[in-house]
mmCIF file of all heavy atoms in Angstrom:
data_model
loop_
_atom_site.group_PDB
_atom_site.id
_atom_site.type_symbol
_atom_site.label_atom_id
_atom_site.label_comp_id
_atom_site.label_asym_id
_atom_site.label_seq_id
_atom_site.Cartn_x
_atom_site.Cartn_y
_atom_site.Cartn_z
ATOM 1 N N ARG A 10 115.599 -43.734 173.736
ATOM 2 C CA ARG A 10 114.732 -44.482 172.801
ATOM 3 C C ARG A 10 113.789 -43.507 172.112
ATOM 4 O O ARG A 10 113.506 -43.656 170.897
ATOM 5 C CB ARG A 10 113.916 -45.490 173.581
ATOM 6 C CG ARG A 10 114.732 -46.596 174.195
ATOM 7 C CD ARG A 10 115.195 -47.551 173.102
ATOM 8 N NE ARG A 10 115.880 -48.653 173.729
ATOM 9 C CZ ARG A 10 117.068 -49.076 173.398
ATOM 10 N NH1 ARG A 10 117.712 -48.458 172.419
ATOM 11 N NH2 ARG A 10 117.652 -50.078 173.981
ATOM 12 N N ALA A 11 113.286 -42.464 172.780
ATOM 13 C CA ALA A 11 112.430 -41.493 172.169
ATOM 14 C C ALA A 11 113.162 -40.731 171.073
ATOM 15 O O ALA A 11 112.645 -40.508 169.993
ATOM 16 C CB ALA A 11 111.845 -40.548 173.221
ATOM 17 N N ARG A 12 114.391 -40.348 171.351
ATOM 18 C CA ARG A 12 115.180 -39.631 170.342
ATOM 19 C C ARG A 12 115.493 -40.545 169.119
ATOM 20 O O ARG A 12 115.449 -40.082 168.009
ATOM 21 C CB ARG A 12 116.480 -39.087 170.964
ATOM 22 C CG ARG A 12 116.214 -37.878 171.884
ATOM 23 C CD ARG A 12 117.481 -37.268 172.422
ATOM 24 N NE ARG A 12 118.206 -38.110 173.328
ATOM 25 C CZ ARG A 12 117.897 -38.301 174.590
ATOM 26 N NH1 ARG A 12 116.856 -37.716 175.089
ATOM 27 N NH2 ARG A 12 118.621 -39.103 175.358
ATOM 28 N N GLU A 13 115.746 -41.808 169.369
ATOM 29 C CA GLU A 13 115.958 -42.753 168.269
ATOM 30 C C GLU A 13 114.697 -42.881 167.421
ATOM 31 O O GLU A 13 114.767 -42.902 166.215
ATOM 32 C CB GLU A 13 116.312 -44.127 168.795
ATOM 33 C CG GLU A 13 117.702 -44.239 169.406
ATOM 34 C CD GLU A 13 117.952 -45.602 170.079
ATOM 35 O OE1 GLU A 13 117.183 -46.544 169.854
ATOM 36 O OE2 GLU A 13 118.909 -45.681 170.854
ATOM 37 N N ALA A 14 113.532 -42.941 168.054
ATOM 38 C CA ALA A 14 112.273 -43.044 167.341
ATOM 39 C C ALA A 14 112.046 -41.821 166.496
ATOM 40 O O ALA A 14 111.622 -41.904 165.339
ATOM 41 C CB ALA A 14 111.118 -43.241 168.296
ATOM 42 N N GLU A 15 112.338 -40.661 167.025
ATOM 43 C CA GLU A 15 112.230 -39.423 166.249
ATOM 44 C C GLU A 15 113.176 -39.409 165.041
ATOM 45 O O GLU A 15 112.771 -39.065 163.928
ATOM 46 C CB GLU A 15 112.571 -38.200 167.129
ATOM 47 C CG GLU A 15 111.395 -37.642 167.878
ATOM 48 C CD GLU A 15 111.762 -36.394 168.611
ATOM 49 O OE1 GLU A 15 112.693 -36.395 169.413
ATOM 50 O OE2 GLU A 15 111.069 -35.351 168.380
ATOM 51 N N ALA A 16 114.405 -39.849 165.295
ATOM 52 C CA ALA A 16 115.393 -39.907 164.188
ATOM 53 C C ALA A 16 114.970 -40.863 163.098
ATOM 54 O O ALA A 16 115.322 -40.680 161.933
ATOM 55 C CB ALA A 16 116.755 -40.295 164.740
ATOM 56 N N GLN A 17 114.178 -41.886 163.443
ATOM 57 C CA GLN A 17 113.719 -42.865 162.459
ATOM 58 C C GLN A 17 112.395 -42.462 161.838
ATOM 59 O O GLN A 17 111.803 -43.242 161.141
ATOM 60 C CB GLN A 17 113.650 -44.248 163.128
ATOM 61 C CG GLN A 17 114.985 -44.757 163.510
ATOM 62 C CD GLN A 17 114.888 -46.074 164.266
ATOM 63 O OE1 GLN A 17 113.821 -46.684 164.398
ATOM 64 N NE2 GLN A 17 116.012 -46.566 164.789
ATOM 65 N N GLY A 18 111.944 -41.250 162.146
ATOM 66 C CA GLY A 18 110.738 -40.748 161.486
ATOM 67 C C GLY A 18 109.475 -40.810 162.243
ATOM 68 O O GLY A 18 108.413 -40.507 161.706
ATOM 69 N N MET A 19 109.514 -41.230 163.528
ATOM 70 C CA MET A 19 108.267 -41.258 164.270
ATOM 71 C C MET A 19 107.781 -39.828 164.462
ATOM 72 O O MET A 19 108.540 -38.988 164.849
ATOM 73 C CB MET A 19 108.463 -41.922 165.658
ATOM 74 C CG MET A 19 107.175 -41.963 166.442
ATOM 75 S SD MET A 19 107.211 -43.080 167.833
ATOM 76 C CE MET A 19 107.093 -44.645 167.051
ATOM 77 N N ARG A 20 106.518 -39.636 164.157
ATOM 78 C CA ARG A 20 105.960 -38.279 164.233
ATOM 79 C C ARG A 20 105.766 -37.889 165.688
ATOM 80 O O ARG A 20 105.540 -38.712 166.545
ATOM 81 C CB ARG A 20 104.640 -38.279 163.490
ATOM 82 C CG ARG A 20 104.814 -38.474 162.033
ATOM 83 C CD ARG A 20 103.557 -38.447 161.241
ATOM 84 N NE ARG A 20 102.350 -38.258 162.058
ATOM 85 C CZ ARG A 20 101.115 -38.360 161.570
ATOM 86 N NH1 ARG A 20 100.981 -38.640 160.298
ATOM 87 N NH2 ARG A 20 100.067 -38.204 162.328
ATOM 88 N N GLY A 21 105.772 -36.595 165.907
ATOM 89 C CA GLY A 21 105.488 -36.046 167.243
ATOM 90 C C GLY A 21 106.747 -35.517 167.896
ATOM 91 O O GLY A 21 107.855 -35.647 167.393
ATOM 92 N N THR A 22 106.535 -34.913 169.032
ATOM 93 C CA THR A 22 107.634 -34.398 169.828
ATOM 94 C C THR A 22 107.700 -35.191 171.107
ATOM 95 O O THR A 22 106.689 -35.368 171.791
ATOM 96 C CB THR A 22 107.400 -32.914 170.156
ATOM 97 O OG1 THR A 22 107.262 -32.173 168.946
ATOM 98 C CG2 THR A 22 108.541 -32.330 170.973
ATOM 99 N N TRP A 23 108.864 -35.655 171.413
ATOM 100 C CA TRP A 23 109.066 -36.489 172.610
ATOM 101 C C TRP A 23 109.862 -35.741 173.670
ATOM 102 O O TRP A 23 110.832 -35.084 173.358
ATOM 103 C CB TRP A 23 109.820 -37.765 172.230
ATOM 104 C CG TRP A 23 109.110 -38.628 171.283
ATOM 105 C CD1 TRP A 23 109.039 -38.496 169.924
ATOM 106 C CD2 TRP A 23 108.285 -39.745 171.583
ATOM 107 N NE1 TRP A 23 108.242 -39.450 169.358
ATOM 108 C CE2 TRP A 23 107.770 -40.235 170.368
ATOM 109 C CE3 TRP A 23 107.906 -40.361 172.776
ATOM 110 C CZ2 TRP A 23 106.938 -41.333 170.331
ATOM 111 C CZ3 TRP A 23 107.100 -41.464 172.724
ATOM 112 C CH2 TRP A 23 106.623 -41.952 171.507
ATOM 113 N N ASP A 24 109.414 -35.879 174.894
ATOM 114 C CA ASP A 24 110.176 -35.347 176.019
ATOM 115 C C ASP A 24 109.981 -36.275 177.189
ATOM 116 O O ASP A 24 108.837 -36.660 177.502
ATOM 117 C CB ASP A 24 109.645 -33.967 176.358
ATOM 118 C CG ASP A 24 110.619 -33.137 177.157
ATOM 119 O OD1 ASP A 24 111.735 -33.659 177.460
ATOM 120 O OD2 ASP A 24 110.310 -32.013 177.517
ATOM 121 N N VAL A 25 111.031 -36.740 177.782
ATOM 122 C CA VAL A 25 110.969 -37.643 178.888
ATOM 123 C C VAL A 25 111.430 -36.928 180.150
ATOM 124 O O VAL A 25 112.534 -36.366 180.172
ATOM 125 C CB VAL A 25 111.852 -38.893 178.613
ATOM 126 C CG1 VAL A 25 111.859 -39.837 179.790
ATOM 127 C CG2 VAL A 25 111.418 -39.587 177.321
ATOM 128 N N LYS A 26 110.563 -36.879 181.122
ATOM 129 C CA LYS A 26 110.896 -36.133 182.375
ATOM 130 C C LYS A 26 110.412 -36.907 183.581
ATOM 131 O O LYS A 26 109.477 -37.685 183.518
ATOM 132 C CB LYS A 26 110.197 -34.778 182.379
ATOM 133 C CG LYS A 26 110.658 -33.848 181.304
ATOM 134 C CD LYS A 26 109.947 -32.522 181.445
ATOM 135 C CE LYS A 26 110.418 -31.580 180.383
ATOM 136 N NZ LYS A 26 109.752 -30.278 180.480
ATOM 137 N N ILE A 27 111.104 -36.650 184.682
ATOM 138 C CA ILE A 27 110.606 -37.109 185.975
ATOM 139 C C ILE A 27 109.661 -36.050 186.516
ATOM 140 O O ILE A 27 109.990 -34.863 186.467
ATOM 141 C CB ILE A 27 111.806 -37.314 186.962
ATOM 142 C CG1 ILE A 27 112.687 -38.466 186.430
ATOM 143 C CG2 ILE A 27 111.285 -37.625 188.361
ATOM 144 C CD1 ILE A 27 113.969 -38.630 187.286
ATOM 145 N N VAL A 28 108.545 -36.484 187.034
ATOM 146 C CA VAL A 28 107.585 -35.537 187.638
ATOM 147 C C VAL A 28 107.532 -35.753 189.115
ATOM 148 O O VAL A 28 107.317 -36.879 189.595
ATOM 149 C CB VAL A 28 106.179 -35.730 187.031
ATOM 150 C CG1 VAL A 28 105.161 -34.850 187.719
ATOM 151 C CG2 VAL A 28 106.173 -35.505 185.544
ATOM 152 N N ASP A 29 107.752 -34.691 189.880
ATOM 153 C CA ASP A 29 107.684 -34.780 191.336
ATOM 154 C C ASP A 29 106.273 -34.366 191.736
ATOM 155 O O ASP A 29 105.993 -33.182 191.942
ATOM 156 C CB ASP A 29 108.712 -33.870 192.002
ATOM 157 C CG ASP A 29 108.689 -33.943 193.517
ATOM 158 O OD1 ASP A 29 107.806 -34.653 194.094
ATOM 159 O OD2 ASP A 29 109.495 -33.281 194.168
ATOM 160 N N TRP A 30 105.382 -35.301 191.854
ATOM 161 C CA TRP A 30 103.996 -34.968 192.148
ATOM 162 C C TRP A 30 103.755 -34.632 193.603
ATOM 163 O O TRP A 30 102.663 -34.265 193.988
ATOM 164 C CB TRP A 30 103.057 -36.110 191.675
ATOM 165 C CG TRP A 30 103.478 -37.478 192.073
ATOM 166 C CD1 TRP A 30 104.257 -38.341 191.336
ATOM 167 C CD2 TRP A 30 103.243 -38.129 193.280
ATOM 168 N NE1 TRP A 30 104.456 -39.495 192.022
ATOM 169 C CE2 TRP A 30 103.867 -39.379 193.227
ATOM 170 C CE3 TRP A 30 102.539 -37.797 194.445
ATOM 171 C CZ2 TRP A 30 103.761 -40.290 194.269
ATOM 172 C CZ3 TRP A 30 102.478 -38.694 195.478
ATOM 173 C CH2 TRP A 30 103.075 -39.939 195.376
ATOM 174 N N THR A 31 104.810 -34.704 194.439
ATOM 175 C CA THR A 31 104.670 -34.231 195.834
ATOM 176 C C THR A 31 104.971 -32.778 195.926
ATOM 177 O O THR A 31 104.760 -32.138 196.977
ATOM 178 C CB THR A 31 105.572 -35.028 196.804
ATOM 179 O OG1 THR A 31 106.944 -34.812 196.438
ATOM 180 C CG2 THR A 31 105.226 -36.508 196.764
ATOM 181 N N ASP A 32 105.469 -32.154 194.876
ATOM 182 C CA ASP A 32 105.766 -30.729 194.833
ATOM 183 C C ASP A 32 104.957 -30.089 193.714
ATOM 184 O O ASP A 32 105.423 -29.806 192.623
ATOM 185 C CB ASP A 32 107.247 -30.468 194.625
ATOM 186 C CG ASP A 32 107.672 -29.027 194.757
ATOM 187 O OD1 ASP A 32 106.753 -28.125 194.808
ATOM 188 O OD2 ASP A 32 108.865 -28.762 194.799
ATOM 189 N N TYR A 33 103.676 -29.861 194.009
ATOM 190 C CA TYR A 33 102.730 -29.402 193.034
ATOM 191 C C TYR A 33 103.137 -28.052 192.397
ATOM 192 O O TYR A 33 103.034 -27.884 191.177
ATOM 193 C CB TYR A 33 101.353 -29.296 193.654
ATOM 194 C CG TYR A 33 100.275 -28.822 192.677
ATOM 195 C CD1 TYR A 33 99.720 -29.710 191.750
ATOM 196 C CD2 TYR A 33 99.816 -27.514 192.695
ATOM 197 C CE1 TYR A 33 98.748 -29.288 190.859
ATOM 198 C CE2 TYR A 33 98.840 -27.096 191.794
ATOM 199 C CZ TYR A 33 98.311 -27.965 190.906
ATOM 200 O OH TYR A 33 97.376 -27.563 190.027
#
Side-chain angles (χ1 to χ4, degrees):
R10 295 285 185 232
R12 286 185 294 282
E13 288 173 15
E15 271 185 304
Q17 294 175 6
M19 181 166 284
R20 295 180 356 188
T22 302
W23 296 83
D24 199 0
V25 178
K26 295 182 180 181
I27 295 174
V28 175
D29 182 356
W30 47 267
T31 63
D32 188 348
Y33 181 78

